[in-house]
Amino acid sequence: MTSLSFSAAAHGPLPLLFLDVDGPLIPFGGTPEEYPDGYPTYRPARRPRLPASQVNPLLPRIDPALGPRLAALGCELVWATTWMDEANECVAPWLGLPDLPVVAWPDPGSDAPQGVPEPAGVHWKTRPLVEWAAGRDFVWLDDEIGGGDRSWVAAHHPGRALLHRVDPRHGLGDADFGVVEAWLR
């Protein structure tokens, strides 16, 4: 892993890193041929704040080693997940991360600003993430990113943006970190 030095004073605010949970952190959908013994499971860096009976049973699929790797990227980490506050109650401790800001999503079915619906092929998260970024450079790690999202962001976001689709069958891995690190350089 490459160490990055980034001076916020010299270069402005750190880039944002919008992070989804299901897919990037909790892999799913792998075949028995890919994972004959099932997905690997891990022990948490710190215990989640929720009682064990309320912890998502897929949480052990999250490799806590991802926490330090994400923190070392030199970005401001932000939860961009439907887990909402539960990401700070369960996932952040599992990864050994502090509480992170959480993107508040619009109500399901609500129209985009000024009643304009999302264009076909644009994920419902895209517009709120661009609004949250407010012109700042950002990375978005999600398993549902497509070409429509990249085109929409390029047309509506004045800063740099990396929209990186993580293969949900495997979750975040070395190749994904390599793409992000190269973009940040």
Side-chain angles (χ1 to χ4, degrees):
M1 181 170 68
T2 304
S3 174
L4 299 174
S5 63
F6 193 94
S7 169
H11 300 286
L14 294 175
L16 298 164
L17 190 148
F18 294 118
L19 183 59
D20 186 26
V21 172
D22 295 314
L25 298 178
I26 299 177
F28 65 89
T31 66
E33 293 78 25
E34 292 171 310
Y35 296 98
D37 298 323
Y39 279 103
T41 58
Y42 304 91
R43 297 170 81 54
R46 293 191 319 266
R47 294 241 174 251
R49 293 192 292 260
L50 290 177
S53 63
Q54 294 179 352
V55 171
N56 186 306
L58 297 179
L59 212 55
R61 288 187 185 178
I62 300 176
D63 181 354
L66 295 173
R69 290 188 76 180
L70 288 162
L73 288 173
C75 295
E76 181 182 334
L77 302 176
V78 178
W79 293 121
T81 175
T82 56
W83 283 59
M84 303 295 293
D85 293 327
E86 196 175 349
N88 281 326
E89 294 167 353
C90 294
V91 182
W94 194 277
L95 292 168
L97 294 173
D99 283 0
L100 304 176
V102 178
V103 175
W105 304 116
D107 292 329
S110 67
D111 285 337
Q114 302 164 351
V116 177
E118 298 299 343
V122 175
H123 195 282
W124 60 268
K125 288 182 181 179
T126 305
R127 185 185 308 262
L129 294 180
V130 168
E131 290 172 0
W132 179 286
R136 284 176 65 180
D137 293 351
F138 72 87
V139 174
W140 177 20
L141 299 176
D142 202 305
D143 61 307
E144 297 181 343
I145 294 169
D149 302 302
R150 289 181 185 90
S151 296
W152 195 91
V153 170
H156 295 91
H157 180 66
R160 293 176 60 231
L162 171 66
L163 281 65
H164 181 71
R165 183 186 178 279
V166 175
D167 185 338
R169 296 171 304 156
H170 310 293
L172 274 173
D174 291 339
D176 301 299
F177 279 97
V179 168
V180 173
E181 290 167 342
W183 185 84
L184 289 168
R185 281 194 291 272

